[in-house]
């Protein structure tokens, strides 16, 4: 039997707060906190930038805040209630996701194009990875952007995170797909060129200053990310929004669901 997934938003005991905008009350909301470490040095910036760009594109991603406690800075990701079917283990939850893909091609194409834009290779509908679910309102929720953008260390694959990874992905879209050995099912859900073009055009319409402001939300660190790294990430994303569709066309063999 699956363990229920419980998210609590609690009203804290307090007198109502007044103000010109009307009465207000205090609430305590549950978050998951992620902190960078030696293996995952860019987790916080990846989460922050990915989340805010997803919101700007109108996608359903959890709220992400940052908080520094002592010497550690955390990305705080809000826990979100899920559809009851997501509380069940496979195959029940897998069946629900498969049905969602069939019924919501526009939303699914948007999720995949978004991940290609922010260089996130860590999302899948299964079998080993998911990092998405159906929330209680019945919408696809894209959580965990921790391996987007600068990525993470993968010594066994010869991957160094940071600017070096950005440059590799910028040069070849296929450099993004270093986890294919897991046999995850995700990119195969791109099946409609019209929807691919629609979402690439939406990405392309993001103003440069919106991308810059998303990157500037990431806290600068003496270790990482440094100011030059954040500047390079802004440059990467501003350029990427313009060539993303061409990259998908050039590396069409990576998207077996798309017709020739």
């Amino acid at each position: 039997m699956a363990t229920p997934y419980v998210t609590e938003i609690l009203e804290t005991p307090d007198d109502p707060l007044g103000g010109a905008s009307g009465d207000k009350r205090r609430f305590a909301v549950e978050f998951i906190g992620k902190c960078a470490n030696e293996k995952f040095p860019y987790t916080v910036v990846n989460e922050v930038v990915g989340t805010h760009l997803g919101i700007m594109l109108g996608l359903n991603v959890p709220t992400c805040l940052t908080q520094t406690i002592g010497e550690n800075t955390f990305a705080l990701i809000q826990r979100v209630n899920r559809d009851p079917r997501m509380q069940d283990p496979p195959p029940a939850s897998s069946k629900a996701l498969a049905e969602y893909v069939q019924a919501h091609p526009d939303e699914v194409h948007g999720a995949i194009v978004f991940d290609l834009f922010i260089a996130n290779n860590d999302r899948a509908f299964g079998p080993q990875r998911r990092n998405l679910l159906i929330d209680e309102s019945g919408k696809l929720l894209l959580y965990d952007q921790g391996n987007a953008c600068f990525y993470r260390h993968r010594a066994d694959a010869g991957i160094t995170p940071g600017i070096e990874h950005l440059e590799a992905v910028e040069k070849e879209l296929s450099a993004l797909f270093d986890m294919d050995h897991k046999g995850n099912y995700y990119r195969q859900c791109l099946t409609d060129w019209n929807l691919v073009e629609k979402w690439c055009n939406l990405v392309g319409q993001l103003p440069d200053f919106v991308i810059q402001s998303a990157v500037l939300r990431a806290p600068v660190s003496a270790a990482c990310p440094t100011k030059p790294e954040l500047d390079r990430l802004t440059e990467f994303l501003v350029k990427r929004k313009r060539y993303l569709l061409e990259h998908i066309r050039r590396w069409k063999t990576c998207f077996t669901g798309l017709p020739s």
Side-chain angles (χ1 to χ4, degrees):
M1 182 176 179
T3 302
Y5 186 96
V6 179
T7 300
E8 292 185 314
I9 299 181
L10 302 175
E11 182 175 0
T12 59
D14 199 353
D15 293 330
L17 305 175
S21 59
D23 289 342
K24 296 174 283 291
R25 295 179 292 188
R26 299 180 189 273
F27 289 85
V29 183
E30 187 174 2
F31 288 81
I32 295 293
K34 290 185 176 183
C35 185
N37 56 49
E38 185 176 349
K39 186 175 180 180
F40 301 90
Y42 296 97
T43 292
V44 174
V45 58
N46 294 342
E47 286 282 0
V48 171
V49 175
T51 294
H52 287 285
L53 290 177
I55 291 171
M56 290 300 100
L57 287 168
L59 297 170
N60 189 22
V61 295
T63 299
C64 178
L65 310 173
T66 58
Q67 178 68 39
T68 299
I69 302 174
E71 296 182 353
N72 295 318
T73 298
F74 292 85
L76 301 178
I77 298 97
Q78 184 179 353
R79 300 189 74 170
V80 178
N81 283 325
R82 58 182 68 189
D83 185 292
R85 294 172 295 174
M86 294 292 100
Q87 297 178 14
D88 297 325
S93 57
S94 299
K95 182 175 183 292
L97 286 171
E99 291 171 349
Y100 194 94
V101 170
Q102 292 296 320
H104 301 84
D106 182 66
E107 200 168 351
V108 170
H109 279 68
I112 298 170
V113 170
F114 163 64
D115 282 325
L116 293 173
F117 172 52
I118 64 171
N120 181 22
N121 74 343
D122 196 38
R123 189 118 45 215
F125 286 102
Q128 294 191 40
R129 297 294 299 163
R130 286 212 176 149
N131 292 8
L132 46 72
L133 54 84
I134 303 171
D135 70 14
E136 63 181 347
S137 68
K139 293 183 62 178
L140 192 67
L141 179 78
L142 308 177
Y143 65 90
D144 190 357
Q145 334 304 330
N147 282 322
C149 299
F150 289 122
Y151 199 32
R152 61 178 173 85
H153 283 290
R154 281 207 66 216
D156 54 339
I159 295 176
T160 301
I163 292 177
E164 182 176 319
H165 178 67
L166 297 181
E167 292 176 344
V169 173
E170 196 171 61
K171 183 179 179 181
E172 296 185 19
L173 184 62
S174 55
L176 186 57
F177 308 133
D178 58 284
M179 300 298 288
D180 282 2
H181 61 280
K182 288 193 172 183
N184 288 322
Y185 191 84
Y186 191 58
R187 303 197 311 271
Q188 298 90 329
C189 293
L190 286 187
T191 58
D192 188 325
W193 277 112
N194 289 328
L195 292 178
V196 171
E197 291 179 7
K198 169 193 169 178
W199 282 98
C200 284
N201 287 335
L202 288 174
V203 168
Q205 292 174 40
L206 285 173
D208 292 357
F209 76 87
V210 166
I211 294 174
Q212 182 181 32
S213 65
V215 174
L216 288 176
R217 285 180 173 271
V220 179
S221 166
C224 63
T226 62
K227 178 64 165 55
E229 286 176 324
L230 291 179
D231 289 343
R232 182 64 180 94
L233 178 58
T234 299
E235 179 189 29
F236 169 82
L237 292 168
V238 168
K239 290 170 62 178
R240 190 166 182 76
K241 70 173 183 175
R242 300 188 175 102
Y243 66 72
L244 183 59
L245 179 58
E246 177 55 33
H247 259 210
I248 295 173
R249 287 172 173 157
R250 188 184 307 174
W251 278 275
K252 158 67 181 64
T253 55
C254 296
F255 305 95
T256 56
L258 283 172
S260 299

